[in-house]
Amino acid sequence: MPDGADAVLDVKGLKTVFRTRGGEVHAVNSVSFHLRPGELLGVVGESGSGKSVTMMSLIGLLPSPPADVRAGEVLLKGVDILKSTPEELRAIRGARIGFVFQDPMTSLNPVFTVGNQIMEPLKRHMGLKGKAAEDRATELLELVGIPDARKRLKSYPHQFSGGMRQRVMIAIALACDPEVLIADEPTTALDVTIQAQILELVHELRRKLGMAIIWITHDLGVIAEIADRVMVMYGGQIVEQAPVRELFGNPHHPYTRALLKTIPKLGDERDERLQIIEGQPPILTAEPSACPFRARCAHAFDRCERENPLRRPIDGQPLGRGHDVACHWNPEGADA
Amino acid sequence: MLTYTIRRLLLAIPTLLFISLVIFLLVDLAPGSPASQIPLTVPPEVRMKILESMGVNEPVHVRYLLWLKQFFVVEPLVLIDSTFGTAFAEGQQRILSWQSRSPVFDIIVERMPQTLTVIGSAYVLGVLIALPIGIYSAYRQYSWFDQLGTFIAMIGFSVPTFFTGLVLILIFAVELQWFPSIYDTSLKVTDWDSFLAQVRQMAMPVMVLALYNAATISRYMRSSMLENLGQDYVRTARAKGMSERVVVLKHVLRNSMIPVITVIALGIPTIFGGAIITEQVFRVNGLGALLIGAIQGSDLPMVQTLTFIFAVLIVLFNLIADILYGILDPRIRYD
Ligand SMILES: Nc1ncnc2c1ncn2[C@@H]1O[C@H](COP(=O)(O)OP(=O)(O)O)[C@@H](O)[C@H]1O
Ligand SMILES: [Mg+2]
């Protein structure tokens, strides 16, 4: 991206392929984006659109085999971490990039105390020991709003509720003051009130700590509430990217438009939201040579079949800075 | 946990009583009497006297109750007497072997060391071999190491121990003459040479049983590790930047050991069963050989007592396995 220079994280042309028995699955196709300091970037898309695989590719969290990160650069403050050794990557994970996962019920190790699991990165990355590690762990639990923190260090994960466990996960991710926090659907498994509390917590932590955040969700309602900028993913690629107001006010891609229509209005059944877009996301057995959305797109025409659209700016700003979209169709009538 | 343990112990009492009754009656139905051990030259009246003195002519429930009393009261008292020099059991009738006329428990105590050294060390060795193999096979699933491990484990638990035993005897004792084919129980370890002799005579039975135990336990270890390696908390540990050593040997192993330790504990009494065959093959004069001899000689008290001891061990180690599970898994609270 042209303005990648001031970015904490600058991802260029990332490609991730899974080698499976049934052949290759191209889960991430030439994904480029950047994250500015202190920014909250929302990532949306149906499940299977490649959100998790993209983020896990960044920091080498995918098991290989079957995963193979084939191409791309991931610049963390200008240094390409895809070229780092496994040992260097480990020094980055949990220290400079924190990760929170979807399911707090299974993401903590059931047989170790919460304190043990929070202190692990403190010991490894910050060299804290004994009392110092314990003090910092207590501080972290207090930071994420867990009452009676020092005593709770000795509790096991099953002694916490789902929401409290997700707070613990956030405390672990923030343990070493990371520059980037990646949260992969952190509230999907929680019920609505708890979800609101976690979002509130993230607002507060951003204010206090100022790290940049990537927030993955398939819930545009959440994005509207917390994101500065939004990236819409489909079929392993970014199909639209814009500041949050611009995206909600002026959506371009037919997929984004369809997604926006699926935001539940008061009284709607929650479960029915995503089924409004007819059809299934594609399973990509090769690098797509056509638009991955064409089969489900109401506006598809012959060019969509021939050529996978590249991202293009639509508001005159340089690519990546303003509003861009990967679509041949032009809502104003004339084909692009 | 304590109340749970006590409750389980109390529950074990009726279980064991029932098992003891079944064992006693089944064995009692078998043909055989101490009369067959008395030389035919003894006149019939004297013969009857001897039998009476052994309580053989009493009705079956009286004999059962007497045996129970002897097993649970008299023999423990004898044990206390011999440790503390007291005399609680004086004048009490102990369980006597029909074959040798000496107390069953004295013979068992005499045979125990052979079984424990051979079978016990085979089990410990088997576990020590199995755990690293299981861990590494799972971590490198489908690698050549894993494939080889799977192959050897298949052989290990599909080929019966008497067969592997005979093959080993043919190769190492008959052909190569590295190891003796018969276990010499009278060998006492006093110096380096006798120690080496002991190791050499133990080598084959230990190898056979260790291979079998390692085969089963390594499979359990492997599948338990595989199950845990795919868990979300493993990804969390990696996302924290933990080294692979910590991820595998702390996070995954600690979880995987829970079912494996249970299996190991449950397997301890069954190794005595396995010992029966191996002891026959290698002529180890241990408890297994004792049981076979007692069955062949219709020595009912010996058979009843040995079988019941196996049953007690099984119940006991079931309890131990459950308690270990509770200790190892913080999610389980028995109270
Ligand atoms: N282990 C795997 N093996 C093969 N394909 C995979 C694997 N993990 C993910 N994929 C593929 O990657 C695609 C994107 O998955 P993911 O990133 O998890 O989607 P989401 O947007 O829901 O997070 C999936 O549709 C799937 O086809
Ligand atoms: Mg996902």
Side-chain angles (χ1 to χ4, degrees):
Chain A
M1 297 294 111
D3 63 341
D6 63 329
V8 216
L9 194 65
D10 191 6
V11 178
K12 296 175 182 172
L14 189 71
K15 281 186 195 177
T16 303
V17 175
F18 289 97
R19 295 206 197 98
T20 68
R21 269 191 226 168
E24 294 191 333
V25 175
H26 291 246
V28 176
N29 295 301
S30 304
V31 163
S32 302
F33 66 92
H34 64 274
L35 183 69
R36 280 185 282 261
E39 178 183 41
L40 198 152
L41 173 67
V43 183
V44 274
E46 282 167 293
S47 85
S49 53
K51 307 181 297 292
S52 302
V53 173
T54 302
M55 297 312 157
M56 299 216 270
S57 304
L58 299 186
I59 53 168
L61 264 189
L62 291 172
S64 171
D68 179 14
V69 180
R70 286 228 173 125
E73 280 179 12
V74 176
L75 304 175
L76 179 65
K77 292 255 171 83
V79 179
D80 187 359
I81 60 175
L82 281 190
K83 293 202 177 66
S84 358
T85 63
E87 193 47 45
E88 287 165 347
L89 257 185
R90 275 195 284 275
I92 291 171
R93 289 203 295 256
R96 301 181 60 192
I97 301 180
F99 230 106
V100 178
F101 298 99
Q102 176 170 347
D103 193 350
M105 305 312 270
T106 55
S107 291
L108 289 164
N109 193 327
V111 302
F112 294 108
T113 62
V114 159
N116 180 318
Q117 297 183 63
I118 301 180
M119 285 187 269
E120 258 186 343
L122 296 175
K123 288 175 182 161
R124 172 162 170 80
H125 300 296
M126 299 169 73
L128 293 182
K129 286 193 192 69
K131 181 83 166 56
E134 216 170 276
D135 287 345
R136 171 74 180 144
T138 310
E139 197 182 298
L140 283 162
L141 283 191
E142 278 163 2
L143 182 72
V144 297
I146 289 179
D148 224 356
R150 189 167 292 269
K151 254 169 73 192
R152 295 298 262 167
L153 288 180
K154 293 192 187 66
S155 303
Y156 287 91
H158 72 272
Q159 293 164 318
F160 289 77
S161 68
M164 283 293 162
R165 281 189 227 187
Q166 201 57 299
R167 286 172 191 260
V168 171
M169 283 299 293
I170 294 174
I172 291 175
L174 296 179
C176 303
D177 263 327
E179 293 141 63
V180 179
L181 174 71
I182 301 177
D184 188 352
E185 308 209 26
T187 58
T188 306
L190 304 174
D191 67 45
V192 192
T193 33
I194 308 296
Q195 179 173 333
Q197 287 169 13
I198 297 283
L199 291 180
E200 186 53 45
L201 173 68
V202 171
H203 273 306
E204 192 188 313
L205 291 174
R206 263 187 90 192
R207 239 189 350 264
K208 275 190 198 159
L209 307 174
M211 66 282 179
I213 302 177
I214 297 176
W215 192 278
I216 301 176
T217 177
H218 56 242
D219 189 340
L220 274 169
V222 170
I223 291 287
E225 203 176 314
I226 60 169
D228 301 319
R229 203 153 51 86
V230 193
M231 194 164 103
V232 181
M233 288 194 71
Y234 188 83
Q237 54 197 58
I238 296 171
V239 294
E240 187 158 9
Q241 191 270 130
V244 68
R245 280 169 181 278
E246 167 73 9
L247 189 99
F248 279 84
N250 185 21
H252 181 117
H253 200 286
Y255 179 63
T256 313
R257 294 173 170 223
L259 273 183
L260 284 172
K261 287 203 195 98
T262 64
I263 297 181
K265 300 185 182 57
L266 232 73
D268 276 4
E269 279 296 310
R270 275 177 67 82
D271 300 346
E272 285 172 3
R273 287 177 307 172
L274 280 175
Q275 287 158 15
I276 301 174
I277 309 176
E278 290 286 328
Q280 293 291 317
I283 291 173
L284 302 159
T285 50
E287 211 169 323
S289 57
C291 174
F293 190 60
R294 69 189 184 285
R296 298 165 76 186
C297 183
H299 306 286
F301 56 105
D302 51 353
R303 188 174 172 195
C304 306
E305 196 67 48
R306 284 198 315 271
E307 191 186 323
N308 192 2
L310 292 174
R311 282 165 68 185
R312 59 185 167 94
I314 55 171
D315 57 355
Q317 303 240 39
L319 187 63
R321 188 175 284 279
H323 188 171
D324 63 73
V325 67
C327 181
H328 297 306
W329 175 64
N330 192 331
E332 275 76 53
D335 291 343
Chain B
M1 185 65 91
L2 188 67
T3 50
Y4 172 80
T5 311
I6 293 170
R7 201 171 67 228
R8 279 291 304 268
L9 278 172
L10 290 178
L11 269 176
I13 293 173
T15 317
L16 282 175
L17 282 178
F18 179 74
I19 296 174
S20 70
L21 182 63
V22 171
I23 289 175
F24 190 89
L25 291 180
L26 275 180
V27 176
D28 201 67
L29 286 176
S33 93
S36 55
Q37 304 292 334
I38 304 170
L40 287 173
T41 49
V42 175
E45 322 78 77
V46 183
R47 203 183 186 79
M48 285 311 291
K49 277 250 159 64
I50 296 176
L51 291 182
E52 243 165 67
S53 75
M54 294 173 79
V56 184
N57 292 336
E58 301 285 348
V60 66
H61 65 272
V62 175
R63 278 182 291 125
Y64 171 65
L65 290 177
L66 177 66
W67 177 71
L68 267 191
K69 179 185 163 214
Q70 289 170 334
F71 193 98
F72 283 110
V73 181
V74 180
E75 296 297 342
L77 284 180
V78 170
L79 182 69
I80 291 172
D81 286 354
S82 69
T83 8
F84 300 106
T86 48
F88 294 123
E90 218 170 52
Q92 303 264 36
Q93 180 62 53
R94 301 180 63 186
I95 307 174
L96 291 184
S97 157
W98 286 354
Q99 269 175 316
S100 68
R101 303 285 173 79
S102 48
V104 161
F105 271 90
D106 289 355
I107 306 173
I108 292 176
V109 166
E110 191 184 300
R111 299 292 192 92
M112 191 82 90
Q114 282 80 275
T115 297
L116 281 186
T117 42
V118 175
I119 312 300
S121 49
Y123 201 61
V124 172
L125 185 68
V127 169
L128 289 181
I129 296 173
L131 298 188
I133 290 181
I135 294 168
Y136 194 74
S137 301
Y139 187 61
R140 292 261 175 265
Q141 195 188 7
Y142 305 133
S143 64
W144 66 265
F145 182 92
D146 182 30
Q147 315 259 8
L148 186 71
T150 306
F151 180 72
I152 294 176
M154 280 262 291
I155 294 176
F157 58 68
S158 56
V159 180
T161 49
F162 64 80
F163 184 78
T164 30
L166 289 177
V167 170
L168 285 192
I169 288 179
L170 274 179
I171 297 176
F172 292 108
V174 179
E175 284 299 319
L176 297 171
Q177 309 220 327
W178 287 358
F179 304 125
S181 68
I182 293 181
Y183 191 93
D184 176 10
T185 316
S186 61
L187 181 77
K188 290 271 176 299
V189 177
T190 51
D191 53 12
W192 181 245
D193 285 342
S194 57
F195 174 75
L196 278 187
Q198 174 67 16
V199 169
R200 283 176 56 221
Q201 69 172 353
M202 276 172 65
M204 285 197 299
V206 166
M207 262 186 332
V208 167
L209 279 176
L211 173 70
Y212 180 77
N213 293 325
T216 359
I217 294 170
S218 70
R219 293 287 94 183
Y220 275 112
M221 189 72 237
R222 177 180 180 272
S223 67
S224 183
M225 286 289 290
L226 280 179
E227 194 175 304
N228 280 289
L229 275 167
Q231 297 291 319
D232 286 350
Y233 67 78
V234 178
R235 193 179 53 188
T236 306
R238 294 208 168 103
K240 290 196 286 193
M242 296 296 117
S243 65
E244 282 301 285
R245 227 175 54 111
V246 172
V247 170
V248 176
L249 295 183
K250 178 183 171 185
H251 287 271
V252 179
L253 184 60
R254 179 64 175 65
N255 280 278
S256 310
M257 280 313 285
I258 296 171
V260 174
I261 284 188
T262 319
V263 165
I264 292 174
L266 287 175
I268 290 174
T270 63
I271 59 179
F272 287 99
I276 295 174
I277 293 160
T278 320
E279 288 188 352
Q280 284 302 105
V281 172
F282 291 101
R283 317 280 174 79
V284 178
N285 204 11
L287 290 181
L290 181 62
L291 179 62
I292 299 282
I295 292 172
Q296 284 163 347
S298 297
D299 188 350
L300 303 195
M302 180 63 87
V303 177
Q304 284 160 337
T305 308
L306 274 177
T307 321
F308 189 52
I309 289 176
F310 291 156
V312 171
L313 287 179
I314 290 172
V315 171
L316 181 71
F317 278 95
N318 258 293
L319 176 62
I320 290 176
D322 277 355
I323 292 173
L324 279 177
Y325 210 108
I327 291 172
L328 291 172
D329 190 340
R331 283 164 296 184
I332 292 179
R333 282 288 167 267
Y334 290 122
D335 305 319

